Amino acid sequence: MSTPIRIDADVKLDSKILTDVAEAFEPHADQMFKQPKGHWVAVVEFTHVERTEPGPDEDKDPSVKVRITDLEIAADTATEHHIRQLMADMHRQRTSDGTLDAHVA
C-alpha cells in the first residue's frame, strides 16, 4: 500500500448557505440568537467547491474551498451525547494511526 502524498493546503468554508441547510438551522436560530456564546453539535456534509493551486513563483499555500451541503443539528441532549460519542470515536481513530490503539480500533 503506497503512502499518500501530504499537501499542506488551506481549507476555506464557502459562505453560501443552501436552502436545505438553512432549513436545518431554522428550528435553532432563535436559540442561537439568544445565546451568542452557545454551542451546538451537528452532523455535517461538505462538498468540494473550488481548488486553488498557486503557481511556482507565488508565495501562497494551495487551498480548497468546501460548502456545507447537508446538516442536522442535535435537537436534544440524548442526540447531542450520541454525536459527541461518535466524534470521540472518530477522533480516536484519526489520531491512533501508528499507536497501540490503532490495532484496537
Side-chain angles (χ1 to χ4, degrees):
M1 186 175 207
S2 64
T3 304
I5 298 171
R6 178 157 167 70
I7 298 175
D8 189 18
D10 296 331
V11 177
K12 299 177 181 183
L13 185 60
D14 186 60
S15 62
K16 181 178 181 182
I17 297 185
L18 303 177
T19 303
D20 291 349
V21 173
E23 289 172 358
F25 272 115
E26 186 58 35
H28 307 277
D30 190 51
Q31 182 187 19
M32 289 176 171
F33 179 80
K34 291 176 182 175
Q35 296 180 349
K37 293 185 180 182
H39 63 274
W40 294 265
V41 178
V43 176
V44 180
E45 178 182 73
F46 297 102
T47 299
H48 183 274
V49 175
E50 179 181 289
R51 171 187 160 164
T52 303
E53 189 171 353
D57 296 335
E58 293 183 90
D59 188 24
K60 292 181 177 179
D61 288 333
S63 66
V64 61
K65 185 184 285 187
V66 296
R67 178 179 298 140
I68 298 173
T69 51
D70 203 0
L71 167 81
E72 289 300 329
I73 300 171
D76 55 45
T77 55
T79 305
E80 181 176 341
H81 175 74
H82 182 71
I83 293 171
R84 287 192 184 280
Q85 183 61 53
L86 181 59
M87 288 170 64
D89 293 344
M90 292 170 72
H91 179 267
R92 191 176 313 104
Q93 182 179 15
R94 176 175 56 86
T95 58
S96 70
D97 187 33
T99 69
L100 291 176
D101 287 344
H103 302 291
V104 177

